[in-house]
Amino acid sequence: PDNFFLIAGPCVIESEELLDEVAGKVSAICKRLEIPYVFKSSYRKANRTSAGSFTGIGDDKALHLLRKTGDKYHLPVTSDIHAHDEAAPAAAFADILQIPAFLCRQTDLLVAAAETGKIVNVKKGQFLNGPSMQFAVDKIKKAGNDKIILTERGTTFGYQDLVVDYRNIPWMQAHGVPVVMDCTHSLQQPNQTSGVTGGNPQLIGTIAKAAIAAGADGLFIETHPNPAVAKSDGANMLRLDLLEGLLEQLVKLRKAVI
Amino acid sequence: PDNFFLIAGPCVIESEELLDEVAGKVSAICKRLEIPYVFKSSYRKANRTSAGSFTGIGDDKALHLLRKTGDKYHLPVTSDIHAHDEAAPAAAFADILQIPAFLCRQTDLLVAAAETGKIVNVKKGQFLNGPSMQFAVDKIKKAGNDKIILTERGTTFGYQDLVVDYRNIPWMQAHGVPVVMDCTHSLQQPNQTSGVTGGNPQLIGTIAKAAIAAGADGLFIETHPNPAVAKSDGANMLRLDLLEGLLEQLVKLRKAVI
Amino acid sequence: PDNFFLIAGPCVIESEELLDEVAGKVSAICKRLEIPYVFKSSYRKANRTSAGSFTGIGDDKALHLLRKTGDKYHLPVTSDIHAHDEAAPAAAFADILQIPAFLCRQTDLLVAAAETGKIVNVKKGQFLNGPSMQFAVDKIKKAGNDKIILTERGTTFGYQDLVVDYRNIPWMQAHGVPVVMDCTHSLQQPNQTSGVTGGNPQLIGTIAKAAIAAGADGLFIETHPNPAVAKSDGANMLRLDLLEGLLEQLVKLRKAVI
Amino acid sequence: PDNFFLIAGPCVIESEELLDEVAGKVSAICKRLEIPYVFKSSYRKANRTSAGSFTGIGDDKALHLLRKTGDKYHLPVTSDIHAHDEAAPAAAFADILQIPAFLCRQTDLLVAAAETGKIVNVKKGQFLNGPSMQFAVDKIKKAGNDKIILTERGTTFGYQDLVVDYRNIPWMQAHGVPVVMDCTHSLQQPNQTSGVTGGNPQLIGTIAKAAIAAGADGLFIETHPNPAVAKSDGANMLRLDLLEGLLEQLVKLRKAVI
C-alpha cells in the first residue's frame, strides 16, 4: 500500500466529548495526509498495575460511545479485550479486536477473538520475539480467521525499562501479516514504585520514524488533548496538537522508503 | 516454620495412574523428611506456545482426579486457572489456586480467585520485579482474602533465556507473604523455533539450593517418572527418582539457614 | 550537514589488495552519492573471543598500508586501539582513533587517545546507556580534545544477542557530538559455543534505515568482497557488491529526514 | 576443600591505617572460622565512571603498602591491573592478579598477567556467560599458566541494574578452575545520572548465601570500617563490623553443602 495506516485515540474511553474531539481532529488530519485511520480507545482497563486505578465508565456505555464515534466520522474502531467472554460483546461494536501483550499466549482468548470474524490485532508479549508470534498467528488461522495484525510494543529490558527491537518488524512481517509499531506503550517505564507506569513521550518521534524506516505497515499512537489529566497512560500519550506535525514528517519518510 | 514446604507433581493431569504414582511416592518422601507437601497438577494448559500441543483430558475429569488423589494421600492440592470464570469451578476441587505468571496483572482473575476464599498463589510475571508484586497482593486483599503466596519463576533475559534473580525472594517476602521458588519453569528456554519450550533440568539442584539459602519458604518442582514422554514441560521436569536425594540435601541446607 | 557520513572497510587489514579493492570501490560510490567517507580497517584485533583467531599481519606493516590506502584515494582513515601505548603510534598513521566498546571506561586509554589531537571515536559499551557516555566525553575534553564521535553498537540482551536501542541516538547527540550507528557489530550474536561470534547480515538494511530515520549523523558498515573468507567478523560484514544499493536507499531516506 | 576462601578488603588503597585495620580484623575473624583469606585492595582505579573520581595514592606507594600489609598478617594479597604493562610491576608485590570484568577479553592483558606466573583471577564480563569464559581460561593456559580463578560479578540487566545468574557457578567450574562470587560488585546499580554507581548493600547476605549453596569455591567481599566515607564503591561495601556475623552464617551453610 502507498501509505502506512494509523491506529490512534485516547487510551481509555473517558467521555463522549473526549472521543468526539480526538476522532474529529485526527480524522481531519488523516484525510488530508491520506493516512487510513482506525479510531482506538479502550472500553475497560483490566490489567492496571494498581487496584486503585481507573478502569472505565462501564462496558456497555463505553462500547456504544466507541461505535457512535466511529459512525459519526466514518472510521473503523478498535478496543482491546481481556477474556474469552468479552470477544463476542466487543465484536458487536468494534471492527478490530486487540489482544493485550500479556495475553498473547492465551489460546482461549485468541480463539474467541478469531471466531467473531473481526480483524484480530495481537500485541507481541514483552517476553516474546517476533518469530514466536507465528504461534499466535497459527492459533487464529486454525480458528478460521486470517484477518490478523501483529503489533510490536517493546520488550522487557531489565525491570524498569522496555526496548524496541526493530528486527521484530521484518521478523513478524515474515508471517504474512501487517505489522504495527505501538509508539506509546513501547516507551513505558514499568515497575515504578508508585504503581503508576512512567514514560518518555519526547521520544515518540524517534520510535515512530525508525519504525517507518524499518518498514512498519502501521503505527499505533495514543493521543489526548491534555495527557496530564488523562485517566490512563498519561505518561506516554502524545499531546493531540503535536500529532499533525509528526504525521507530516512520517508521510514524507514513508515516501522515501517504499 | 521449621522446614520449607513443597509444591510438586506432574505438569499436567495425564491419567489417574500418573497422579497416583507421583503423589504416592512424593508424599512418602515428604513424610519421612517432614516437608509439608502440596500436590500440584494442571487440569488444563491454556497458554501453550503452539496450538497443536496437548491441553488436557477434559476439565471435569481432571479436577475430579486431582481431588481424588489429594484425598487418597491426605494432601492439599493445587492447579492453575486462566480466566475469571474458572475460579469457582476449580475452587470446588483445589485448595490453592495458582495464577500463571503471564496473567498476574489481570485484575478480574485475581479478584475471582480471591473471592473463592481459597489460598491464591500468584506467579511473578517474567516482566515484573518483586516489589511490583505488591499490587497483586493488594488486589487480592482488597477482595477480602489474605491467604496469599507469591512465586518466583524467572525473568525475561533476552528472548531465549530466563534468569532467576534471588533478590526477589526478600523483596517479595517484604509483602508479608510466603515466597516459593519455581525450580522448573525458571529453567525454561522460551522462544525456540520449534514452538516447544526448552530447558536445563540438570540445573534444578543449583536453583533449588540457592533458593533455600536465600530464605525461600517453599519450592515448586514439577516431577514425572519419565519426563521424556510427558505431555507438557518434559524439558524441565525432574525425574521422579531423583527427587528424594535432592530433598535430603535441601532439608540439610534449610537447617543451616534458619 | 546535508548528508550522513560513512565509516567503512574490511574488519581487519588482511592484505594491500583487499584494502585497495574496498577503498577504490567504496570511495567511487560515495563520491557519486556525496557521502563523506572514512576508510576503516583494524591493524590488530586484540580482543578476539578465542586465542586461536587471526589478530593481524603485524602492526607496523598494517598501519603503513592503512595510510597508503587513505593517501591513494584521498580518504581519512581510522583504526581501533586497545591500550594507552598504542595511541601515539596509531595516531602517526590514522586520522580517527576508535576506542572499542569494552574499553570505553578505561580512563588511561581515553586520555592517551585524546592527547594525540586526533578525532576520538568512542563506541558505547554494551553495558552502558547513552546518557552515561557523557563521562567518556568529559574525560576526552578534560584532556584537551573536543573532536569526539560516539558510536552505538548494540546493548547486551541476554547472553547470545544484542539489541539496538535507538533512544541512544538522541541521548548521545545531547552530549553535543556526532553519533554513528555501527550496523555491523550491532548484529553480533555473542557467546556462541564455537568461540566464533555469529550474526544476522540480512538485517543490516533494517538497522541502517532505522538509524538514519532516528537522526544518526554517520553509519559504520564493515564490508568485504567475500565475507565468507574474511579473517574476522565474516558473519556480519556486508558483501561489497550490496553496498551501493543500500547507500542509495539511505541517501533518499536522509533527504526525507532533514 | 573443606571451606570456602575469602578475598576481602577495602575497594581502594586509601591509607596504611585503613589497610592495617581491615587486614587485622578480617584475618583474626578468618583464622577463628578457618577461612583461607586473601587481602584485596586496588592500587589504582583506572575505569571510574567519572574523570573526577579518586584513582589512588600513587601506584608505587600503594603497591608497597599492599605487600607490607600482607607480610604483617601473613596473607596473600591481590589487586587488579588494567593494561598489559601493569602486569609485571604489580606481580612484584601481589600474589594474585585480578583482571577487571570489562577487560576479560583483552588477550594482551591476559597473556601479560599469565606470564608473571602469579595466580590470575579473571572477572566474567557483564556481557558474557559462564561457558564463554573458557576462552579466557584457554588464553592464560596457552601462555603457560594454569593457576586460574574465575569470578562472577553480575550480568547486564537493562541499563541500571545487574543480575546474578547462579548457573554461571557450575558453568564456570566446568572449566576446571575455582569460582568466586563477587558479592560487592554484583549489587552495583550502574548508569546513574550522577556518574556515581549505586548499590544495594543490604542484599550482600542474600547474594553470598545463595553462592555458597550453589557451590561457589570462594567469596569476594569489599569491606570498610565506614563505607559512607570510602573513596570508591561506598554504595556497596559491607560495613566491617557486619562481616563476622555474615561469615559465621556462611560457614554453617558451607558445612551443609559439602
Side-chain angles (χ1 to χ4, degrees):
Chain A
D2 283 0
N3 211 349
F4 61 88
F5 62 93
L6 177 69
I7 302 174
C11 179
V12 63
I13 296 173
E14 301 178 15
S15 69
E16 181 163 5
E17 293 66 33
L18 176 67
L19 266 54
D20 196 62
E21 176 179 359
V22 175
K25 291 192 177 164
V26 180
S27 63
I29 295 167
C30 287
K31 190 165 296 179
R32 187 172 74 74
L33 296 174
E34 298 181 358
I35 300 170
Y37 173 40
V38 179
F39 183 75
K40 184 268 170 182
S41 200
S42 294
Y43 71 95
R44 195 204 308 180
K45 306 303 293 180
N47 54 5
R48 300 300 300 264
T49 302
S50 164
S53 296
F54 178 78
T55 59
I57 60 170
D59 292 358
D60 194 60
K61 187 173 167 195
L63 283 166
H64 275 91
L65 279 181
L66 180 67
R67 183 73 264 163
K68 186 177 171 185
T69 305
D71 288 346
K72 178 168 174 186
Y73 294 101
H74 308 289
L75 302 171
V77 297
T78 185
S79 184
D80 43 332
I81 62 172
H82 322 86
H84 60 95
D85 55 3
E86 293 180 39
F93 298 92
D95 304 288
I96 302 176
L97 298 180
Q98 177 186 302
I99 307 297
F102 293 152
L103 305 181
C104 71
R105 286 270 299 264
Q106 304 306 310
T107 307
D108 291 351
L109 177 60
L110 292 170
V111 169
E115 289 177 346
T116 66
K118 300 288 178 177
I119 298 170
V120 184
N121 177 10
V122 190
K123 293 199 167 182
K124 187 186 77 56
Q126 296 88 333
F127 40 83
L128 289 183
N129 63 7
S132 291
M133 291 301 286
Q134 179 68 55
F135 303 105
V137 169
D138 289 347
K139 289 175 182 176
I140 296 168
K141 285 190 175 169
K142 209 175 154 186
N145 187 336
D146 60 4
K147 293 178 283 184
I148 303 166
I149 298 172
L150 295 178
T151 294
E152 164 67 35
R153 52 93 73 240
T155 300
T156 294
F157 182 61
Y159 291 126
Q160 299 190 309
D161 202 10
L162 296 172
V163 66
V164 176
D165 181 355
Y166 286 86
R167 297 176 301 182
N168 284 318
I169 294 179
W171 281 342
M172 292 200 288
Q173 287 174 328
H175 306 320
V177 300
V179 171
V180 170
M181 172 63 66
D182 176 345
C183 304
T184 301
H185 299 92
S186 294
L187 288 165
Q188 284 181 330
Q189 307 263 279
N191 286 305
Q192 302 302 312
T193 49
S194 61
V196 178
T197 301
N200 260 322
Q202 71 283 8
L203 289 167
I204 294 172
T206 300
I207 297 292
K209 285 187 271 187
I212 292 298
D217 302 286
L219 296 178
F220 176 108
I221 301 176
E222 289 185 349
T223 182
H224 192 283
N226 186 357
V229 304
K231 294 187 185 302
S232 179
D233 263 336
N236 280 301
M237 281 197 280
L238 185 68
R239 233 174 59 211
L240 183 51
D241 62 1
L242 298 175
L243 184 65
E244 185 161 17
L246 176 59
L247 290 175
E248 283 173 353
Q249 281 188 288
L250 294 169
V251 168
K252 197 174 148 202
L253 202 60
R254 172 71 174 195
K255 286 179 181 149
V257 172
I258 54 171
Chain B
D2 283 359
N3 211 348
F4 62 89
F5 61 92
L6 178 69
I7 303 175
C11 179
V12 61
I13 297 173
E14 301 178 16
S15 69
E16 181 163 6
E17 292 67 32
L18 176 66
L19 266 53
D20 196 63
E21 176 179 0
V22 175
K25 290 192 178 164
V26 180
S27 63
I29 295 167
C30 286
K31 190 165 296 180
R32 186 173 73 75
L33 295 174
E34 297 180 1
I35 300 170
Y37 173 40
V38 179
F39 182 75
K40 185 267 169 183
S41 199
S42 294
Y43 70 95
R44 196 204 308 182
K45 305 303 293 181
N47 54 4
R48 301 300 300 263
T49 302
S50 165
S53 295
F54 178 77
T55 59
I57 59 169
D59 292 358
D60 194 61
K61 186 173 168 197
L63 283 167
H64 274 93
L65 280 182
L66 181 66
R67 182 75 265 162
K68 186 174 172 187
T69 306
D71 288 346
K72 177 166 176 188
Y73 294 101
H74 309 288
L75 302 172
V77 297
T78 184
S79 183
D80 44 332
I81 61 172
H82 322 84
H84 59 96
D85 55 2
E86 294 180 38
F93 298 91
D95 304 287
I96 302 178
L97 298 180
Q98 177 186 304
I99 307 297
F102 292 151
L103 305 182
C104 72
R105 285 272 297 266
Q106 304 307 309
T107 307
D108 291 351
L109 178 60
L110 292 170
V111 169
E115 289 176 346
T116 65
K118 300 289 178 175
I119 297 170
V120 184
N121 177 10
V122 190
K123 292 198 168 184
K124 187 185 76 59
Q126 296 89 334
F127 40 83
L128 289 184
N129 63 8
S132 291
M133 290 301 287
Q134 179 69 55
F135 303 105
V137 169
D138 288 348
K139 289 174 183 177
I140 296 168
K141 284 190 176 170
K142 210 176 151 185
N145 187 336
D146 60 3
K147 292 178 282 182
I148 303 167
I149 297 172
L150 295 177
T151 295
E152 165 67 35
R153 52 90 75 238
T155 301
T156 294
F157 182 62
Y159 291 126
Q160 300 190 308
D161 202 11
L162 296 172
V163 66
V164 177
D165 181 356
Y166 286 87
R167 297 175 302 180
N168 284 317
I169 294 179
W171 281 341
M172 293 200 286
Q173 287 174 328
H175 305 320
V177 300
V179 171
V180 169
M181 171 63 66
D182 175 344
C183 304
T184 301
H185 299 92
S186 294
L187 286 166
Q188 284 182 330
Q189 307 263 279
N191 287 304
Q192 302 301 312
T193 49
S194 61
V196 178
T197 300
N200 260 324
Q202 70 285 9
L203 288 166
I204 294 171
T206 300
I207 296 293
K209 286 186 269 186
I212 292 298
D217 303 286
L219 296 178
F220 176 109
I221 301 175
E222 289 185 351
T223 182
H224 192 283
N226 186 357
V229 303
K231 293 187 186 301
S232 179
D233 264 334
N236 280 301
M237 282 196 281
L238 185 69
R239 235 174 56 211
L240 183 51
D241 62 1
L242 298 175
L243 184 64
E244 185 161 16
L246 176 59
L247 290 175
E248 283 173 354
Q249 281 188 287
L250 294 169
V251 168
K252 196 175 148 202
L253 202 58
R254 170 75 173 192
K255 285 178 183 154
V257 172
I258 55 170
Chain C
D2 283 2
N3 211 350
F4 62 88
F5 61 92
L6 177 68
I7 302 174
C11 178
V12 63
I13 296 173
E14 301 179 16
S15 70
E16 181 162 5
E17 293 66 34
L18 175 66
L19 266 54
D20 196 62
E21 176 179 1
V22 175
K25 291 192 177 164
V26 179
S27 63
I29 296 167
C30 287
K31 191 165 296 179
R32 186 172 74 75
L33 296 174
E34 298 181 358
I35 300 170
Y37 173 41
V38 179
F39 182 76
K40 185 269 168 181
S41 199
S42 294
Y43 70 94
R44 195 204 307 181
K45 306 303 292 180
N47 53 5
R48 300 301 300 265
T49 303
S50 163
S53 297
F54 178 78
T55 58
I57 61 170
D59 293 357
D60 195 61
K61 187 173 168 196
L63 283 166
H64 274 92
L65 280 180
L66 180 67
R67 183 74 264 163
K68 187 175 171 186
T69 305
D71 288 346
K72 178 168 175 187
Y73 294 101
H74 309 289
L75 302 171
V77 298
T78 185
S79 183
D80 44 332
I81 61 171
H82 322 85
H84 61 96
D85 55 2
E86 293 180 39
F93 298 91
D95 305 287
I96 302 177
L97 298 180
Q98 176 186 303
I99 307 297
F102 293 152
L103 305 182
C104 72
R105 286 271 298 265
Q106 304 306 309
T107 307
D108 290 352
L109 178 60
L110 292 170
V111 169
E115 288 177 347
T116 66
K118 300 289 179 177
I119 298 169
V120 184
N121 177 10
V122 190
K123 293 199 167 182
K124 186 186 77 57
Q126 296 89 334
F127 40 83
L128 288 184
N129 63 6
S132 291
M133 290 300 286
Q134 179 68 55
F135 303 105
V137 169
D138 289 347
K139 288 175 183 177
I140 296 168
K141 284 190 176 170
K142 208 176 155 188
N145 187 336
D146 59 4
K147 292 178 284 182
I148 303 166
I149 297 172
L150 295 178
T151 294
E152 165 68 35
R153 53 88 78 238
T155 301
T156 294
F157 182 62
Y159 291 125
Q160 299 191 308
D161 202 9
L162 295 173
V163 67
V164 176
D165 181 355
Y166 286 85
R167 298 175 300 181
N168 283 318
I169 294 179
W171 281 342
M172 292 200 287
Q173 286 174 329
H175 305 321
V177 301
V179 170
V180 170
M181 172 62 67
D182 176 345
C183 304
T184 301
H185 299 93
S186 294
L187 288 166
Q188 284 181 329
Q189 307 262 280
N191 286 305
Q192 303 302 312
T193 49
S194 61
V196 179
T197 301
N200 259 323
Q202 71 283 9
L203 289 166
I204 294 172
T206 300
I207 296 292
K209 285 186 270 187
I212 292 299
D217 302 286
L219 296 177
F220 176 109
I221 300 176
E222 289 186 349
T223 182
H224 192 283
N226 186 357
V229 304
K231 293 187 185 301
S232 179
D233 264 335
N236 280 301
M237 281 196 280
L238 185 68
R239 234 174 57 209
L240 183 51
D241 62 1
L242 298 175
L243 183 64
E244 185 161 17
L246 175 60
L247 289 175
E248 284 173 353
Q249 281 187 288
L250 295 169
V251 168
K252 196 175 149 202
L253 202 60
R254 172 72 174 193
K255 285 179 182 151
V257 171
I258 55 170
Chain D
D2 284 359
N3 211 348
F4 62 88
F5 61 93
L6 177 69
I7 302 175
C11 179
V12 62
I13 297 174
E14 301 178 15
S15 69
E16 181 161 4
E17 293 66 33
L18 176 66
L19 266 54
D20 197 62
E21 176 178 359
V22 176
K25 291 193 178 162
V26 180
S27 63
I29 296 167
C30 287
K31 191 165 296 179
R32 186 172 72 77
L33 296 174
E34 298 180 0
I35 300 170
Y37 173 40
V38 179
F39 182 75
K40 185 268 170 183
S41 199
S42 293
Y43 71 95
R44 195 206 306 182
K45 306 302 294 181
N47 54 5
R48 300 301 299 263
T49 302
S50 165
S53 296
F54 178 79
T55 58
I57 59 170
D59 292 359
D60 194 61
K61 188 174 167 195
L63 283 166
H64 274 93
L65 281 181
L66 181 66
R67 182 74 265 159
K68 187 176 170 187
T69 306
D71 289 346
K72 178 168 174 187
Y73 294 101
H74 309 288
L75 302 171
V77 297
T78 185
S79 183
D80 43 334
I81 61 172
H82 322 85
H84 59 95
D85 55 3
E86 293 179 39
F93 298 91
D95 304 288
I96 302 177
L97 298 180
Q98 177 185 304
I99 307 297
F102 293 152
L103 305 182
C104 71
R105 285 271 297 265
Q106 305 306 310
T107 307
D108 291 351
L109 178 59
L110 292 170
V111 168
E115 289 176 346
T116 66
K118 299 290 178 174
I119 298 170
V120 184
N121 177 9
V122 190
K123 292 197 168 182
K124 186 185 76 58
Q126 296 88 335
F127 40 84
L128 289 184
N129 63 8
S132 291
M133 291 300 287
Q134 179 69 55
F135 303 105
V137 169
D138 288 348
K139 289 175 182 177
I140 296 168
K141 284 191 177 169
K142 209 176 153 186
N145 187 336
D146 59 3
K147 291 177 285 182
I148 303 167
I149 298 172
L150 295 177
T151 295
E152 165 68 35
R153 52 90 75 239
T155 301
T156 294
F157 182 62
Y159 291 127
Q160 300 190 308
D161 202 10
L162 296 172
V163 66
V164 176
D165 181 355
Y166 285 87
R167 296 175 301 180
N168 284 317
I169 295 179
W171 280 342
M172 293 200 287
Q173 287 175 328
H175 306 321
V177 300
V179 171
V180 170
M181 171 63 67
D182 176 344
C183 305
T184 301
H185 299 92
S186 294
L187 287 165
Q188 285 182 329
Q189 307 263 279
N191 287 303
Q192 302 302 312
T193 49
S194 61
V196 178
T197 300
N200 260 323
Q202 70 284 10
L203 289 166
I204 294 171
T206 299
I207 296 293
K209 285 186 269 187
I212 292 298
D217 302 287
L219 296 177
F220 176 109
I221 300 175
E222 289 185 351
T223 182
H224 192 283
N226 186 356
V229 303
K231 293 188 186 301
S232 179
D233 264 335
N236 280 301
M237 281 196 281
L238 185 68
R239 235 174 57 210
L240 182 50
D241 62 1
L242 298 175
L243 183 65
E244 185 161 15
L246 176 59
L247 290 175
E248 284 173 354
Q249 281 188 287
L250 294 168
V251 168
K252 196 174 149 202
L253 202 58
R254 171 74 174 194
K255 285 178 182 151
V257 172
I258 54 171

